[in-house]
Amino acid sequence: MALSDIALCARALVMIGAAPIVSFDEDTAEAEVAGMLYPALRDGMLAGYPWRFAAKGVWLARLADEGVGQTDTGETLFALPGDFIRLLSLESETGGVPEFEVRQDAVMCRADRAYLRYVGRMAEASFPAFFDLALMTRLAAEFCLPLTESASRAEYLFKRAEDQFRAARLADAQQSTPRAIDDFTLIGVRS
C-alpha cells in the first residue's frame, strides 16, 4: 500500500501512543513536531544508504554558459539535480572516474561531460514497504521524546529503528544481482 508523508507520520505517532494527524497544518503538538522533523528525517534516511529503489542517473548540465562554468584550474562545475540527496558515482564521457568534489548544489570535476548516479528524493508513494517500516520506526523514535518525554521509550524505539534500518538495507540489497569483481589485482596474483 502506497503511503503519503502524512500517513507515514500518523502511523509513527500511533506507534508512540500519540494521536495521529491528518495534516501538518493542524494546531496540535503532534502536527508541529511531525511537520518540523519529517523532511529532514526522510532525507536523512534516504542519504543513509545507497538505496537501489531511489537510485537515479543523469548527464549533468554545466552550471553556467560555455567557459563560465570552468574554474581557474580547468575543472568544470556541473549543476546537481534538484532532487539530489547522495552521490553514488560520477563518470566522465570517456568512462573514467574523474576526481570530483561536491560543492553545495554543484559538483566540480575535470571532465567535459559527467554522468551522475545518485540517490534522489522521490514521492513517498514510491517507497517500498521495507523502507516505509524503517522510516516509520525512525520517525516514532524521533517523535517520542518531544511528545511523550519518555527517554526510556525513545531509547527502545531508537534500537528498534536501527534493527529496521538494517533489515531494510538487507531487503534493498537483495533487489538485484550482486556485481562481480572483474578487475582486482589480488585475484590475478592468485592465478
Side-chain angles (χ1 to χ4, degrees):
M1 170 174 33
L3 299 175
S4 68
D5 52 356
I6 296 293
L8 290 163
C9 289
R11 284 170 169 77
L13 289 164
V14 168
M15 291 171 86
I16 63 171
I21 60 171
V22 293
S23 167
F24 289 127
D25 296 326
E26 291 177 18
D27 190 23
T28 63
E30 290 85 355
E32 183 179 351
V33 168
M36 289 179 67
L37 296 179
Y38 177 77
L41 291 171
R42 175 206 54 216
D43 288 356
M45 287 283 293
L46 286 168
Y49 182 74
W51 302 103
R52 283 172 171 72
F53 70 86
K56 300 179 179 185
V58 66
W59 284 99
L60 296 176
R62 287 179 183 260
L63 191 57
D65 294 334
E66 202 62 38
V68 178
Q70 284 203 292
T71 65
D72 304 352
T73 59
E75 294 170 315
T76 306
L77 288 171
F78 294 97
L80 291 171
D83 63 346
F84 174 83
I85 291 183
R86 175 184 176 172
L87 188 140
L88 298 176
S89 67
L90 187 74
E91 295 179 21
S92 69
E93 192 171 32
T94 60
V97 179
E99 288 186 23
F100 65 87
E101 181 181 336
V102 175
R103 294 184 170 184
Q104 293 178 341
D105 295 334
V107 63
M108 180 177 65
C109 68
R110 284 187 192 268
D112 291 328
R113 292 189 70 207
Y115 185 79
L116 174 72
R117 282 199 21 83
Y118 68 103
V119 171
R121 191 172 296 107
M122 55 195 304
E124 284 81 357
S126 301
F127 293 162
F130 59 82
F131 187 78
D132 282 347
L133 186 55
L135 180 56
M136 283 186 291
T137 309
R138 178 60 190 267
L139 291 169
E142 295 286 350
F143 295 170
C144 187
L145 200 54
L147 293 175
T148 69
E149 297 182 6
S150 173
S152 60
R153 185 186 294 173
E155 184 179 336
Y156 164 75
L157 287 167
F158 274 110
K159 288 178 185 172
R160 192 164 163 223
E162 283 301 311
D163 291 342
Q164 288 297 332
F165 187 67
R166 269 192 297 281
R169 289 190 329 236
L170 178 61
D172 187 68
Q174 294 172 342
Q175 300 302 307
S176 68
T177 305
R179 293 187 184 122
I181 300 173
D182 295 328
D183 184 25
F184 188 59
T185 55
L186 292 178
I187 292 175
V189 171
R190 289 180 56 191
S191 301

